[in-house]
Amino acid sequence: MPDATYPMLRRRRRRRFRLPATLSAERIRLLAIGLLCLAVVGIGIALASRPSAPNARRSLSNSLTTLRAGNYSAARTNAQAAITAAPNWAIAHAVLARAYLELGDGLAAEAELARAEDAGLPADRLHQLQAHARLLQGDPDGALDEAAQALPRYAGYAARIGALAHASQGDIVGARTGLETLLGRAPNDAAAWTDLGRLRLTAGDVGGAADAAAHAVALAPGEPAALTLQGEVLRSRYGLIAAIPWFEAALARDAYYHPALIEYAATLGDAGRYGEMLAVTRRALLAHPGSPQALYLQAVLAVRAGRIDLARSLLRDTGGAISGLPGSLLLSGSLDYADGKYEQAAVTWRQLVGLQPLNVVARRLLGAALLRSGDPRGALSALQPIGARSDADSYSLRLIASAFSAAGDSVSAASFLDRAAAGPRAPAAVFATDSSIGALMAGASLARDDPTYALGVIRGQLASGDIVGAIAGARSLVAASPEAPAAQLALGDALVAAGRYGEAAPVYARAADLSFDEPTMLRLIDALGRAGRAENAATTLALYLSQNPQSLAGQRLLGHWQVASGEWDAAIETLEGVRRRVGNRDGGVLVDLALAYAGSDDGAIAVRYGRAAYLLSPMSPAAADAYGAALSADGDVVGARQLLDKAVRLAPGDAAIADHRRQLG
């Protein structure tokens, strides 16, 4: 049977369109006209549906709006759109220049100002902007020349740039006076408050900087520069965590504001939030391609990750733009030292010591590099100020001993080896100065407006034993600069040198309120502890660690206190974290770990740490005590008794050591 065909599927016969065999001329003409009309209509529709060219006025209006809102990156983009639509519009070039100035790009700003002038904008309206552009390019003299020519209506802007130009020439006092005078006439100038706050912060007047930053933020709550300054001030006063919301607020206004990105990234890194830090540095490189600050921060991250070659490459990519800054010098020298280039590391670290002569870590590194490069005399010169301190660490003392040995002085080498074996003899003291009191006072009399010289005199008086004179000088400095933490610290140090810990504690507390950094925290805790205020000391440490969770000094101190209070498991967790970061050469950490493991009844591990601590400092009563306690926990009573007897002989007045020996029986 043949297949059935479904009706719906039957093929239909198509009608074919056939042109007539012949077309008249009239029909052909009509057909052509119709096709032409269709083409015209199609072109019209296409043109109507195509995006319109940028509207110059709308783009410029948007640029001005975002500029006032503090979104300088958007202001730049909108001004560029206006110029694309109207290339010869003078005011658009001037607005773009203003956006570049706020973003810190003086070269691009000056180019746009030249275009604005070429397009017809009068030159006398641009002098204050030209001054700003010159200053950003490192030409303070040119900035002052341009500022002097500004019209009276722009006098405030010009005065502000002129003050900053004087500051860049080293006249900080004159710059501050100029800004304070300007604010006396125009107290609502938020930009002037911001500039004054930054100058005060740079000069160490943290209290004054805080006051200026608060004024700036109150007057211009959406200004990224003011918000960034507030973050820096709060980071100095209270710690890392307190600063982060202010940097985030600045970036909420302008997500690509480079100064805020750099400060935010650095703060995140110090707080241990490395993944976020890396993301922010990448954004900074998008905002400012080739940013040396962002590349430096990435190099620091690379070192922490053990990627030395990458760190060296990133530091090289900065092109030397930040080679003279302390952080860059420290990192560059470390990379050279790791690569065995000891002489080059010594050259770099010598620059760092020149910038920061009181930096103990920098001196220690320089001494090590000089010793490894075959210059023991140079190493001794660098390390001598550390060796003169009663609180010198064992590593520095061993370096000094090695330098004396290499120089052929075996007697001095043996003396410093004995000190290294015994460990520090006293708590930290003020760094001594090599200059005579007469020279220091002469320098201070020639620079009465510079408190640095007064601080040098106070250090010299303390080093020479003139405690009364040091206290009097420090009180005068505090009266002259009550908002400067360095002045408060100088007075606290002088009072501690006199043994007046109860009086020193509130002075250090005032310094901590102005700048709660690590040295201030350690001074305050020590003074509180010696004044019998252990609970206040514990509160201070807890507050500091809440803001600076990665602080090695804070974590080390916390672990020590946890051991002292018998919190063995907490102490082990804290101290193991410290040991992983500093290695196995910190005798104090090893001592506390030995005691913590001994207290938690893990004698085998306690012995391992106790033996390591004892080998580092065999004449240290703390190391002998920890090793003895560890042996006792591991069941070696005979060995424990020998070591604890030695610890008692070395420190007969130490109650904790005596208690360990008594418990052994």
Side-chain angles (χ1 to χ4, degrees), residues 575-586:
L575 293 166
E576 285 288 8
V578 173
R579 186 189 63 82
R580 283 192 292 270
R581 293 171 61 189
V582 303
N584 297 318
R585 304 293 295 177
D586 189 313

Side-chain angles (χ1 to χ4, degrees), residues 84-122:
T84 300
N88 295 319
W89 197 7
I91 193 63
H93 287 287
V95 172
L96 178 56
R98 182 62 188 274
Y100 276 129
L101 290 173
E102 297 296 347
L103 291 169
D105 192 341
L107 185 62
E110 189 165 28
E112 289 303 321
L113 290 172
R115 294 186 182 103
E117 190 174 345
D118 291 342
L121 199 64

